[in-house]
Amino acid sequence: MTTIASTAYSRDLGDELRRLRETSTSFTGRAMAAHLGWDPSKVSNIEHGKVRATEVDLVQWVATCGKNLEYLEEFRDRYQHAFDAYCVQLPDNLRTLAMTEAMAHTITSYEVMVLPGLLQTPEYARALLREGGIEAPEDVDAFVEARVGRQSVLQRVYRPECLFYVHELALQTLVGDTRVMKEQYLRLLFRTHTLRIVPSKVRSSVPQSKLTLYEFDKARPVVFSETDMAQVFAQDDLAVKRARRMFERLDAVALDPEQSRSKLAEYVSGLREDFHGRPTDLAQEQLQHGQRLR
């Protein structure tokens, strides 16, 4: 067992071992340690992704949980990369991302063409996934449910401190129809204390791809980026330093929270006529929307 700095992936896989213990045995962590002849701290550290378990440790753990050699080999193949400074995953693997969001005390993100997943309405998320055409149609509802479920971190008493930078291009990109966009704009109006818009005229001097920096109380920061093909988690010092410089640049060019609210109100005003041609009252819409979010 080797002590090493934990990573987003090591914490995810450690938690997977914990769940395996809880679902496949009747052992508590302390009882598991006694059964294996280990110190209780060893079980705790492995389950929290704080230490790298040896191959012998994994064999003993998996065997105790009643799993076969095939399961061991599959888990070992993933575990050998658990503590790498860079981790690449398929976009549909949401466990590591969800766990990273749940553990972070600070989340700073930047989106270019779409709105942040943590702020998306279900209708916006569904339209985005359907129009993207990458996910199988029968899987879209499950992905929407998972995305909405991740948003629960923002409702916790001890929720992370969040700051979302959004390029205005994301507001200009029609997802679904105008009804979907109006609902989404209204959702954002209630998050303007954590939202800063980068004006559309600012392009070449800001990052060209989405980026998120997660910071924790007792772990090193994690930089996250994503494309349609892969998710990348980086814990390298250089990657973190580069991400901080990018967010410093965004801080310099983005609208402040009040200006961002005014900019959002402009987009809502563009959709203020209801679908029967009658003008609507923006204040009343915001009130009704706030009631739906409770």
Side-chain angles (χ1 to χ4, degrees):
M1 184 176 68
T2 304
T3 301
I4 191 170
S6 68
T7 67
Y9 198 31
S10 74
R11 294 189 287 272
D12 179 16
L13 292 182
D15 188 65
E16 187 173 330
L17 289 174
R18 176 192 61 78
R19 291 189 300 111
L20 178 63
R21 168 180 61 78
E22 292 179 345
T23 57
S24 301
T25 78
S26 60
F27 292 146
T28 62
R30 186 171 292 275
M32 183 76 157
H35 177 81
L36 295 173
W38 297 353
D39 187 278
S41 64
K42 180 174 179 176
V43 170
S44 177
N45 286 334
I46 288 176
E47 291 186 347
H48 286 87
K50 294 181 178 179
V51 298
R52 182 192 292 275
T54 67
E55 185 163 341
V56 172
D57 292 337
L58 291 178
V59 170
Q60 293 177 333
W61 192 290
V62 169
T64 299
C65 294
K67 299 300 182 181
N68 59 23
L69 183 61
E70 182 180 359
Y71 182 96
L72 170 64
E73 291 177 345
E74 186 275 333
F75 186 85
R76 183 180 57 194
D77 288 345
R78 289 185 291 134
Y79 195 77
Q80 66 178 325
H81 301 293
F83 292 86
D84 291 354
Y86 287 83
C87 171
V88 180
Q89 297 183 348
L90 292 173
D92 60 355
N93 185 347
L94 299 178
R95 265 187 51 88
T96 305
L97 176 59
M99 190 167 183
T100 300
E101 291 172 339
M103 293 181 63
H105 74 70
T106 302
I107 301 175
T108 309
S109 77
Y110 170 62
E111 289 280 359
V112 185
M113 296 302 298
V114 300
L115 298 169
L118 290 178
L119 301 182
Q120 291 176 9
T121 65
E123 294 77 13
Y124 180 96
R126 183 173 289 106
L128 188 64
L129 290 165
R130 285 177 175 168
E131 292 171 6
I134 296 176
E135 308 302 340
E138 62 271 19
D139 295 334
V140 167
D141 285 345
F143 278 106
V144 172
E145 183 179 356
R147 188 164 300 183
V148 172
R150 285 167 42 208
Q151 296 174 2
S152 63
V153 300
L154 302 182
Q155 311 303 322
R156 298 183 324 207
V157 175
Y158 299 105
R159 53 187 173 271
E161 179 181 341
C162 296
L163 177 56
F164 301 98
Y165 290 97
V166 177
H167 201 284
E168 193 173 353
L169 288 172
L171 299 177
Q172 297 171 346
T173 301
L174 179 65
V175 176
D177 55 26
T178 53
R179 188 185 298 274
V180 170
M181 294 305 297
K182 181 170 76 170
E183 187 77 7
Q184 182 62 71
Y185 292 152
L186 289 169
R187 165 74 67 89
L188 296 178
L189 273 170
F190 284 89
R191 300 294 307 183
T192 48
H193 61 292
T194 65
L195 180 70
R196 295 185 60 188
I197 296 173
V198 178
S200 58
K201 64 181 180 181
V202 181
R203 299 199 181 186
S204 61
S205 60
V206 293
Q208 302 303 300
S209 59
K210 62 187 300 180
L211 176 72
T212 305
L213 176 64
Y214 298 98
E215 297 177 89
F216 311 90
D217 287 324
K218 297 180 180 180
R220 297 172 64 185
V222 172
V223 178
F224 174 78
S225 188
E226 182 181 27
T227 69
D228 290 336
M229 297 294 104
Q231 296 177 335
V232 179
F233 295 84
Q235 204 161 295
D236 178 73
D237 289 342
L238 185 59
V240 173
K241 185 180 297 185
R242 185 178 180 85
R244 292 193 193 283
R245 286 203 302 268
M246 290 180 176
F247 283 118
E248 287 175 2
R249 175 57 185 162
L250 289 167
D251 179 65
V253 300
L255 303 178
D256 64 30
E258 187 56 39
Q259 291 171 328
S260 296
R261 181 176 178 81
S262 296
K263 176 62 68 174
L264 272 170
E266 291 177 16
Y267 280 89
V268 175
S269 295
L271 301 172
R272 284 184 65 184
E273 287 200 359
D274 70 14
F275 301 98
H276 300 288
R278 296 189 300 270
T280 60
D281 183 82
L282 178 57
Q284 182 63 26
E285 288 182 16
Q286 293 183 38
L287 175 60
Q288 293 172 350
H289 186 77
Q291 291 172 341
R292 288 196 295 271
L293 289 179
R294 290 172 187 166

